[in-house]
């Protein structure tokens, strides 16, 4: 298998952490520019996005939600998506929330990359509200627990940790650790895992 990534992509990091936690071998190909006309990704994913996973038979999977589901079912080693229906739905909702926080943070980054005269402050405010409400919901849902959802490490922790790491990269001024000490504690022990440490995004 081969996984196309960019080093800072939070969705690709979610998949890379999953591969390590589940001890699944996979070649990683870093795409220098997704916007370049010679990007290899569109040949496997018409949307041209990462992560895209190419299977050994040449077929491909995207997006990250589909890929993590595939990987978790590929081997029973270290299941990260619970089998119980209600628990699985809770974990997947965490993933949707954490991915949504990343979507909103990326929208802010993209807006701020426009020339100042073209930036729309209302877009930035609306997306920042999603980030702030998302963080508050995660913190409230987690309460005093060690893990995001239930009493074990799951995909909910992976998705949450990846979103927090992405905020550190793109919005270091946000100060989420001070506002949400329980998320700070979760992030600290997630970063002690080799899967998180080895996939930390490059400094901005
Ligand atoms: N929902 C998708 C989002 C993937 C995504 O937006 N990836 C970004 C990189 S962080 C990308 O490939 N952007 C290039 C583009 O939109 O053309 C997933 O979970 O995989």
């Amino acid at each position: 298998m081969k996984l196309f990534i960019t080093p800072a992509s939070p969705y690709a990091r979610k998949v890379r952490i999953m591969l390590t936690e589940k001890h699944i071998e996979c070649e990683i190909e870093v795409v220098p520019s997704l916007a370049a006309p010679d990007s290899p990704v569109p040949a496997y994913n018409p949307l041209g996005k990462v992560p895209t996973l190419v299977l050994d038979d040449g077929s491909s999977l995207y997006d990250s939600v589909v890929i993590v589901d595939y990987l978790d079912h590929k081997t029973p080693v270290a299941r990260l998506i619970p089998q119980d229906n209600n628990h699985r739905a809770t974990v997947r909702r965490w993933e949707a929330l954490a991915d949504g926080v990343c979507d909103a943070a990326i929208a802010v980054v993209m807006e701020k990359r426009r020339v100042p005269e073209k930036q729309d402050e209302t877009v930035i405010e609306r997306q920042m509200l999603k980030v702030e409400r998302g963080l508050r919901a995660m913190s409230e849902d987690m309460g005093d627990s060690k893990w995001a959802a239930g009493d074990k490490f799951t995909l909910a922790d992976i998705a949450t940790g990846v979103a927090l790491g992405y905020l550190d990269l793109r919005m270091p001024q946000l100060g989420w650790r001070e506002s949400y000490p329980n998320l700070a504690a979760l992030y600290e022990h997630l970063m002690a895992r080799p899967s998180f440490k080895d996939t930390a995004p490059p400094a901005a």
Side-chain angles (χ1 to χ4, degrees), residues 6 9-11 14 34 47-51 63-65 99 103 106:
T6 54
S9 167
Y11 317 101
K14 185 173 55 158
L34 289 167
L47 304 174
K49 295 186 179 195
V50 293
D63 60 1
S64 66
V65 173
D99 283 6
D103 295 343
I106 289 172

Side-chain angles (χ1 to χ4, degrees), residues 1-41:
M1 294 193 300
K2 178 157 81 175
L3 181 71
F4 287 106
I5 68 156
T6 54
S9 167
Y11 317 101
R13 187 179 182 203
K14 185 173 55 158
V15 173
R16 289 155 73 202
I17 292 170
M18 188 96 177
L19 285 166
T20 303
E21 293 288 344
K22 292 190 65 80
H23 307 286
I24 297 173
E25 291 286 322
C26 183
E27 183 190 342
I28 304 286
E29 182 166 331
V30 178
V31 183
S33 166
L34 289 167
D38 63 349
S39 163
V41 182

Side-chain angles (χ1 to χ4, degrees), residues 14 17-18 21-22 68 72 78-84 86-95 98 142 145-162 186 189-190 193 195-196:
K14 185 173 55 158
I17 292 170
M18 188 96 177
E21 293 288 344
K22 292 190 65 80
V68 295
D72 203 43
R79 286 219 90 116
L80 293 164
I81 300 174
Q83 280 167 305
D84 171 79
N86 287 338
H87 192 202
R88 182 176 60 245
T90 303
V91 165
R92 302 242 66 160
R93 197 198 66 173
W94 267 90
E95 183 190 20
M142 197 181 145
S145 310
K146 178 174 180 192
W147 302 111
D151 57 4
K152 276 201 322 204
F153 176 74
T154 66
L155 172 63
D157 300 291
I158 298 178
T160 303
V162 159
L186 173 68
H189 65 250
L190 289 175
R193 300 174 88 90
S195 60
F196 272 82

